[in-house]
Amino acid sequence: MRVEIWSDIACPWCYIGKARFEAGLAGFAHREGVEVVHRSFELDPAAPAPTDVPVLEMLATKYGVSREQAEAMEARVAEAARGEGLGYRSDRVHGNTFDLHRLLHLAKAHGAQDALLGVFYRANFAEARPLGDRDTLVALAAEAGVPAEEAARVLADPDAYADAVRADEREAAELGATGVPFFVIDRRYGISGGQPAEVFRQALERAHQEGAIQQLPAGDAGVCGDDGCAVPSA
């Protein structure tokens, strides 16, 4: 069984959703036979890189709200993250993620894609590190098991893995994904949003047993789309 996950490093619900999916996968009896592949999705492909725009400033501008309202939005997402045992800081900066996606494709060739995505999420959300800084990215890639010299070469060549990133994004559009995280099981079963772990476990069981095409909508699960990241009402 193959599970493909479209996500963006800038998406807090992708960060939370990864942890919830992994918890659901841990409870799936056939988990040893599951291959997980991470796919690229840019929420803000027009964002400059690098950037030093604080995420709270970006949210206030994007939604036309006050600083206090932006802080309240972030506080609710932070609560969800901490409920999964994840660190979460709101003093991080907002920026373009295209180079990070290119590095994730390089990491796939080294069998370190999932590890690097986890490192990127931690560095962004738990540590508020500057992911627009190339030295930082090279160091993070090396931490995940990607040779530093290869990561540096990819970052120096804007065409390296660019087509792979765009291909993932085209596939997402063809599958009808308008936001992330978006999970697809064997190209037969789709799940939108950072659903609870039990939802993922049940979806894996159902896909294993039935093999029927279905799509589970986001509902009240957290999801990030072109218009921002929705915060569940409860």
Side-chain angles (χ1 to χ4, degrees), residues 10-14 16 20 43 59 62-63 73-74 76-78 80 88 178-181 193-194 218-234:
C11 165
W13 290 111
C14 297
I16 296 166
R20 290 177 174 176
L43 287 169
L59 289 171
K62 185 179 185 70
Y63 294 109
M73 292 166 60
E74 274 284 277
R76 292 177 64 186
V77 181
Y88 196 91
T178 58
V180 284
D220 203 30
V223 64
C224 297
D226 291 341
D227 57 349
C229 295
V231 179
S233 57

mmCIF file of all heavy atoms in Angstrom, residues 10-14 16 20 43 59 62-63 73-74 76-78 80 88 178-181 193-194 218-234:
data_model
loop_
_atom_site.group_PDB
_atom_site.id
_atom_site.type_symbol
_atom_site.label_atom_id
_atom_site.label_comp_id
_atom_site.label_asym_id
_atom_site.label_seq_id
_atom_site.Cartn_x
_atom_site.Cartn_y
_atom_site.Cartn_z
ATOM 1 N N ALA A 10 5.456 25.316 5.193
ATOM 2 C CA ALA A 10 4.888 26.512 5.823
ATOM 3 C C ALA A 10 3.520 26.260 6.437
ATOM 4 O O ALA A 10 2.966 27.151 7.093
ATOM 5 C CB ALA A 10 4.787 27.635 4.792
ATOM 6 N N CYS A 11 2.968 25.068 6.235
ATOM 7 C CA CYS A 11 1.598 24.758 6.664
ATOM 8 C C CYS A 11 1.581 24.123 8.047
ATOM 9 O O CYS A 11 2.036 22.985 8.209
ATOM 10 C CB CYS A 11 0.969 23.816 5.634
ATOM 11 S SG CYS A 11 -0.536 22.990 6.187
ATOM 12 N N PRO A 12 1.044 24.798 9.056
ATOM 13 C CA PRO A 12 1.026 24.211 10.402
ATOM 14 C C PRO A 12 0.177 22.954 10.496
ATOM 15 O O PRO A 12 0.487 22.048 11.270
ATOM 16 C CB PRO A 12 0.474 25.338 11.282
ATOM 17 C CG PRO A 12 -0.252 26.242 10.347
ATOM 18 C CD PRO A 12 0.493 26.171 9.049
ATOM 19 N N TRP A 13 -0.899 22.871 9.685
ATOM 20 C CA TRP A 13 -1.737 21.675 9.748
ATOM 21 C C TRP A 13 -1.062 20.484 9.069
ATOM 22 O O TRP A 13 -1.390 19.334 9.364
ATOM 23 C CB TRP A 13 -3.116 21.957 9.159
ATOM 24 C CG TRP A 13 -3.893 22.869 10.048
ATOM 25 C CD1 TRP A 13 -4.245 24.160 9.813
ATOM 26 C CD2 TRP A 13 -4.370 22.557 11.365
ATOM 27 N NE1 TRP A 13 -4.907 24.670 10.893
ATOM 28 C CE2 TRP A 13 -5.006 23.724 11.853
ATOM 29 C CE3 TRP A 13 -4.323 21.426 12.166
ATOM 30 C CZ2 TRP A 13 -5.587 23.763 13.115
ATOM 31 C CZ3 TRP A 13 -4.908 21.457 13.425
ATOM 32 C CH2 TRP A 13 -5.535 22.628 13.891
ATOM 33 N N CYS A 14 -0.103 20.743 8.190
ATOM 34 C CA CYS A 14 0.702 19.653 7.622
ATOM 35 C C CYS A 14 1.636 19.095 8.698
ATOM 36 O O CYS A 14 1.834 17.882 8.797
ATOM 37 C CB CYS A 14 1.508 20.152 6.426
ATOM 38 S SG CYS A 14 0.496 20.717 5.038
ATOM 39 N N ILE A 16 1.129 19.237 11.977
ATOM 40 C CA ILE A 16 0.281 18.508 12.917
ATOM 41 C C ILE A 16 -0.247 17.233 12.280
ATOM 42 O O ILE A 16 -0.266 16.158 12.900
ATOM 43 C CB ILE A 16 -0.876 19.410 13.385
ATOM 44 C CG1 ILE A 16 -0.325 20.601 14.175
ATOM 45 C CG2 ILE A 16 -1.888 18.630 14.215
ATOM 46 C CD1 ILE A 16 -1.323 21.722 14.399
ATOM 47 N N ARG A 20 -0.194 13.185 13.402
ATOM 48 C CA ARG A 20 -1.435 12.424 13.579
ATOM 49 C C ARG A 20 -1.478 11.219 12.645
ATOM 50 O O ARG A 20 -1.912 10.125 13.042
ATOM 51 C CB ARG A 20 -2.638 13.340 13.343
ATOM 52 C CG ARG A 20 -2.816 14.381 14.433
ATOM 53 C CD ARG A 20 -3.967 15.322 14.130
ATOM 54 N NE ARG A 20 -4.223 16.223 15.255
ATOM 55 C CZ ARG A 20 -5.121 17.209 15.239
ATOM 56 N NH1 ARG A 20 -5.846 17.418 14.128
ATOM 57 N NH2 ARG A 20 -5.289 17.975 16.291
ATOM 58 N N LEU A 43 1.989 26.590 -0.805
ATOM 59 C CA LEU A 43 0.835 27.420 -0.459
ATOM 60 C C LEU A 43 0.977 28.842 -0.979
ATOM 61 O O LEU A 43 0.003 29.489 -1.320
ATOM 62 C CB LEU A 43 0.659 27.445 1.057
ATOM 63 C CG LEU A 43 0.130 26.153 1.680
ATOM 64 C CD1 LEU A 43 0.255 26.209 3.185
ATOM 65 C CD2 LEU A 43 -1.309 25.904 1.256
ATOM 66 N N LEU A 59 0.108 37.109 8.796
ATOM 67 C CA LEU A 59 -1.278 36.730 9.060
ATOM 68 C C LEU A 59 -2.176 37.951 9.213
ATOM 69 O O LEU A 59 -3.294 37.988 8.700
ATOM 70 C CB LEU A 59 -1.344 35.876 10.329
ATOM 71 C CG LEU A 59 -0.766 34.465 10.236
ATOM 72 C CD1 LEU A 59 -0.702 33.823 11.616
ATOM 73 C CD2 LEU A 59 -1.573 33.595 9.282
ATOM 74 N N LYS A 62 -2.639 39.396 5.710
ATOM 75 C CA LYS A 62 -3.402 38.502 4.834
ATOM 76 C C LYS A 62 -4.890 38.513 5.159
ATOM 77 O O LYS A 62 -5.744 38.546 4.278
ATOM 78 C CB LYS A 62 -2.851 37.077 4.946
ATOM 79 C CG LYS A 62 -3.483 36.082 3.980
ATOM 80 C CD LYS A 62 -2.858 34.720 4.139
ATOM 81 C CE LYS A 62 -3.373 33.740 3.099
ATOM 82 N NZ LYS A 62 -2.917 34.024 1.749
ATOM 83 N N TYR A 63 -5.210 38.489 6.464
ATOM 84 C CA TYR A 63 -6.600 38.400 6.879
ATOM 85 C C TYR A 63 -7.222 39.742 7.237
ATOM 86 O O TYR A 63 -8.410 39.806 7.548
ATOM 87 C CB TYR A 63 -6.721 37.452 8.076
ATOM 88 C CG TYR A 63 -6.395 36.021 7.739
ATOM 89 C CD1 TYR A 63 -5.223 35.426 8.210
ATOM 90 C CD2 TYR A 63 -7.239 35.257 6.933
ATOM 91 C CE1 TYR A 63 -4.917 34.115 7.897
ATOM 92 C CE2 TYR A 63 -6.933 33.943 6.617
ATOM 93 C CZ TYR A 63 -5.770 33.381 7.099
ATOM 94 O OH TYR A 63 -5.454 32.081 6.784
ATOM 95 N N MET A 73 -5.219 33.546 16.658
ATOM 96 C CA MET A 73 -5.277 32.488 15.642
ATOM 97 C C MET A 73 -4.126 31.508 15.836
ATOM 98 O O MET A 73 -4.313 30.287 15.825
ATOM 99 C CB MET A 73 -5.220 33.113 14.243
ATOM 100 C CG MET A 73 -6.436 33.931 13.870
ATOM 101 S SD MET A 73 -6.142 34.978 12.400
ATOM 102 C CE MET A 73 -5.753 33.752 11.165
ATOM 103 N N GLU A 74 -2.937 32.053 16.017
ATOM 104 C CA GLU A 74 -1.761 31.211 16.199
ATOM 105 C C GLU A 74 -1.850 30.410 17.501
ATOM 106 O O GLU A 74 -1.402 29.251 17.551
ATOM 107 C CB GLU A 74 -0.496 32.072 16.216
ATOM 108 C CG GLU A 74 0.090 32.359 14.857
ATOM 109 C CD GLU A 74 0.823 31.138 14.311
ATOM 110 O OE1 GLU A 74 1.992 30.915 14.659
ATOM 111 O OE2 GLU A 74 0.206 30.386 13.534
ATOM 112 N N ARG A 76 -4.407 29.103 18.902
ATOM 113 C CA ARG A 76 -5.278 27.942 18.747
ATOM 114 C C ARG A 76 -4.561 26.835 17.986
ATOM 115 O O ARG A 76 -4.697 25.652 18.312
ATOM 116 C CB ARG A 76 -6.572 28.353 18.050
ATOM 117 C CG ARG A 76 -7.446 29.259 18.902
ATOM 118 C CD ARG A 76 -8.686 29.717 18.175
ATOM 119 N NE ARG A 76 -9.569 28.607 17.844
ATOM 120 C CZ ARG A 76 -10.667 28.734 17.109
ATOM 121 N NH1 ARG A 76 -10.985 29.913 16.596
ATOM 122 N NH2 ARG A 76 -11.442 27.694 16.865
ATOM 123 N N VAL A 77 -3.773 27.201 16.966
ATOM 124 C CA VAL A 77 -3.012 26.192 16.238
ATOM 125 C C VAL A 77 -1.914 25.623 17.139
ATOM 126 O O VAL A 77 -1.653 24.415 17.141
ATOM 127 C CB VAL A 77 -2.409 26.782 14.947
ATOM 128 C CG1 VAL A 77 -1.631 25.714 14.186
ATOM 129 C CG2 VAL A 77 -3.499 27.364 14.051
ATOM 130 N N ALA A 78 -1.288 26.487 17.919
ATOM 131 C CA ALA A 78 -0.248 26.040 18.843
ATOM 132 C C ALA A 78 -0.795 25.031 19.834
ATOM 133 O O ALA A 78 -0.131 24.044 20.177
ATOM 134 C CB ALA A 78 0.340 27.243 19.584
ATOM 135 N N ALA A 80 -3.242 22.937 19.326
ATOM 136 C CA ALA A 80 -3.408 21.669 18.615
ATOM 137 C C ALA A 80 -2.063 20.967 18.446
ATOM 138 O O ALA A 80 -1.956 19.750 18.607
ATOM 139 C CB ALA A 80 -4.054 21.911 17.256
ATOM 140 N N TYR A 88 5.940 24.509 19.211
ATOM 141 C CA TYR A 88 5.324 25.485 18.303
ATOM 142 C C TYR A 88 5.657 26.900 18.752
ATOM 143 O O TYR A 88 5.395 27.282 19.889
ATOM 144 C CB TYR A 88 3.806 25.308 18.277
ATOM 145 C CG TYR A 88 3.133 25.995 17.110
ATOM 146 C CD1 TYR A 88 2.926 25.312 15.915
ATOM 147 C CD2 TYR A 88 2.701 27.314 17.198
ATOM 148 C CE1 TYR A 88 2.309 25.930 14.834
ATOM 149 C CE2 TYR A 88 2.094 27.945 16.134
ATOM 150 C CZ TYR A 88 1.890 27.245 14.945
ATOM 151 O OH TYR A 88 1.291 27.866 13.882
ATOM 152 N N THR A 178 -7.084 21.252 -3.232
ATOM 153 C CA THR A 178 -7.048 22.718 -3.176
ATOM 154 C C THR A 178 -6.360 23.214 -1.913
ATOM 155 O O THR A 178 -6.190 24.415 -1.727
ATOM 156 C CB THR A 178 -8.470 23.295 -3.242
ATOM 157 O OG1 THR A 178 -9.241 22.761 -2.159
ATOM 158 C CG2 THR A 178 -9.147 22.940 -4.559
ATOM 159 N N GLY A 179 -6.020 22.303 -1.037
ATOM 160 C CA GLY A 179 -5.341 22.657 0.200
ATOM 161 C C GLY A 179 -4.561 21.467 0.712
ATOM 162 O O GLY A 179 -4.655 20.359 0.165
ATOM 163 N N VAL A 180 -3.781 21.696 1.739
ATOM 164 C CA VAL A 180 -2.972 20.636 2.333
ATOM 165 C C VAL A 180 -3.089 20.679 3.855
ATOM 166 O O VAL A 180 -3.430 21.726 4.410
ATOM 167 C CB VAL A 180 -1.481 20.788 1.902
ATOM 168 C CG1 VAL A 180 -1.308 20.330 0.472
ATOM 169 C CG2 VAL A 180 -0.955 22.212 2.075
ATOM 170 N N PRO A 181 -2.828 19.545 4.507
ATOM 171 C CA PRO A 181 -2.321 18.296 3.944
ATOM 172 C C PRO A 181 -3.391 17.532 3.175
ATOM 173 O O PRO A 181 -4.579 17.619 3.480
ATOM 174 C CB PRO A 181 -1.879 17.509 5.178
ATOM 175 C CG PRO A 181 -2.792 17.989 6.271
ATOM 176 C CD PRO A 181 -2.963 19.455 5.997
ATOM 177 N N GLY A 193 -6.930 17.347 5.153
ATOM 178 C CA GLY A 193 -6.809 17.974 6.460
ATOM 179 C C GLY A 193 -6.069 17.162 7.491
ATOM 180 O O GLY A 193 -5.795 15.970 7.310
ATOM 181 N N GLY A 194 -5.723 17.830 8.580
ATOM 182 C CA GLY A 194 -5.014 17.185 9.675
ATOM 183 C C GLY A 194 -5.977 16.456 10.591
ATOM 184 O O GLY A 194 -6.215 16.863 11.733
ATOM 185 N N ALA A 218 -12.408 17.471 4.459
ATOM 186 C CA ALA A 218 -11.705 17.996 5.619
ATOM 187 C C ALA A 218 -12.623 18.170 6.818
ATOM 188 O O ALA A 218 -12.215 17.985 7.959
ATOM 189 C CB ALA A 218 -11.039 19.320 5.265
ATOM 190 N N GLY A 219 -13.893 18.554 6.561
ATOM 191 C CA GLY A 219 -14.801 18.782 7.677
ATOM 192 C C GLY A 219 -14.239 19.843 8.602
ATOM 193 O O GLY A 219 -13.875 20.935 8.192
ATOM 194 N N ASP A 220 -14.097 19.494 9.875
ATOM 195 C CA ASP A 220 -13.596 20.438 10.868
ATOM 196 C C ASP A 220 -12.121 20.189 11.182
ATOM 197 O O ASP A 220 -11.595 20.675 12.168
ATOM 198 C CB ASP A 220 -14.422 20.332 12.152
ATOM 199 C CG ASP A 220 -14.340 21.617 12.979
ATOM 200 O OD1 ASP A 220 -14.174 22.697 12.381
ATOM 201 O OD2 ASP A 220 -14.413 21.531 14.216
ATOM 202 N N ALA A 221 -11.443 19.418 10.318
ATOM 203 C CA ALA A 221 -10.007 19.181 10.508
ATOM 204 C C ALA A 221 -9.233 20.364 9.937
ATOM 205 O O ALA A 221 -9.680 21.025 9.011
ATOM 206 C CB ALA A 221 -9.576 17.893 9.818
ATOM 207 N N GLY A 222 -8.081 20.632 10.505
ATOM 208 C CA GLY A 222 -7.283 21.762 10.039
ATOM 209 C C GLY A 222 -6.719 21.523 8.659
ATOM 210 O O GLY A 222 -6.222 20.441 8.351
ATOM 211 N N VAL A 223 -6.800 22.534 7.807
ATOM 212 C CA VAL A 223 -6.266 22.433 6.453
ATOM 213 C C VAL A 223 -5.779 23.805 6.021
ATOM 214 O O VAL A 223 -6.315 24.835 6.439
ATOM 215 C CB VAL A 223 -7.337 21.893 5.468
ATOM 216 C CG1 VAL A 223 -8.506 22.849 5.349
ATOM 217 C CG2 VAL A 223 -6.743 21.609 4.101
ATOM 218 N N CYS A 224 -4.730 23.839 5.200
ATOM 219 C CA CYS A 224 -4.205 25.086 4.661
ATOM 220 C C CYS A 224 -4.445 25.121 3.161
ATOM 221 O O CYS A 224 -4.141 24.149 2.461
ATOM 222 C CB CYS A 224 -2.712 25.222 4.937
ATOM 223 S SG CYS A 224 -2.288 25.296 6.698
ATOM 224 N N GLY A 225 -4.990 26.219 2.663
ATOM 225 C CA GLY A 225 -5.238 26.387 1.241
ATOM 226 C C GLY A 225 -4.723 27.721 0.760
ATOM 227 O O GLY A 225 -4.028 28.437 1.489
ATOM 228 N N ASP A 226 -5.080 28.065 -0.475
ATOM 229 C CA ASP A 226 -4.597 29.315 -1.050
ATOM 230 C C ASP A 226 -5.035 30.527 -0.220
ATOM 231 O O ASP A 226 -4.358 31.562 -0.229
ATOM 232 C CB ASP A 226 -5.131 29.485 -2.484
ATOM 233 C CG ASP A 226 -4.500 28.474 -3.426
ATOM 234 O OD1 ASP A 226 -3.439 27.926 -3.081
ATOM 235 O OD2 ASP A 226 -5.071 28.245 -4.507
ATOM 236 N N ASP A 227 -6.166 30.406 0.479
ATOM 237 C CA ASP A 227 -6.670 31.540 1.260
ATOM 238 C C ASP A 227 -6.229 31.472 2.718
ATOM 239 O O ASP A 227 -6.742 32.207 3.555
ATOM 240 C CB ASP A 227 -8.188 31.618 1.159
ATOM 241 C CG ASP A 227 -8.875 30.338 1.622
ATOM 242 O OD1 ASP A 227 -8.151 29.334 1.822
ATOM 243 O OD2 ASP A 227 -10.104 30.351 1.771
ATOM 244 N N GLY A 228 -5.311 30.580 3.039
ATOM 245 C CA GLY A 228 -4.780 30.538 4.388
ATOM 246 C C GLY A 228 -5.022 29.223 5.082
ATOM 247 O O GLY A 228 -5.436 28.243 4.463
ATOM 248 N N CYS A 229 -4.782 29.200 6.383
ATOM 249 C CA CYS A 229 -4.920 27.993 7.191
ATOM 250 C C CYS A 229 -6.146 28.122 8.079
ATOM 251 O O CYS A 229 -6.227 29.011 8.930
ATOM 252 C CB CYS A 229 -3.674 27.769 8.052
ATOM 253 S SG CYS A 229 -2.190 27.450 7.086
ATOM 254 N N ALA A 230 -7.104 27.209 7.883
ATOM 255 C CA ALA A 230 -8.325 27.243 8.667
ATOM 256 C C ALA A 230 -8.062 26.736 10.076
ATOM 257 O O ALA A 230 -7.290 25.799 10.276
ATOM 258 C CB ALA A 230 -9.395 26.375 8.003
ATOM 259 N N VAL A 231 -8.709 27.347 11.032
ATOM 260 C CA VAL A 231 -8.602 26.930 12.431
ATOM 261 C C VAL A 231 -9.917 26.281 12.820
ATOM 262 O O VAL A 231 -10.974 26.907 12.727
ATOM 263 C CB VAL A 231 -8.318 28.123 13.356
ATOM 264 C CG1 VAL A 231 -8.243 27.658 14.801
ATOM 265 C CG2 VAL A 231 -7.026 28.807 12.953
ATOM 266 N N PRO A 232 -9.927 24.992 13.219
ATOM 267 C CA PRO A 232 -11.170 24.318 13.606
ATOM 268 C C PRO A 232 -11.904 25.085 14.702
ATOM 269 O O PRO A 232 -11.293 25.756 15.535
ATOM 270 C CB PRO A 232 -10.688 22.955 14.110
ATOM 271 C CG PRO A 232 -9.397 22.730 13.408
ATOM 272 C CD PRO A 232 -8.771 24.103 13.315
ATOM 273 N N SER A 233 -13.215 24.965 14.680
ATOM 274 C CA SER A 233 -14.028 25.716 15.639
ATOM 275 C C SER A 233 -13.941 25.152 17.044
ATOM 276 O O SER A 233 -14.333 25.795 17.996
ATOM 277 C CB SER A 233 -15.489 25.713 15.187
ATOM 278 O OG SER A 233 -15.968 24.389 15.050
ATOM 279 N N ALA A 234 -13.444 23.917 17.167
ATOM 280 C CA ALA A 234 -13.347 23.325 18.501
ATOM 281 C C ALA A 234 -12.112 22.450 18.574
ATOM 282 O O ALA A 234 -11.557 22.075 17.581
ATOM 283 C CB ALA A 234 -14.582 22.489 18.794
#
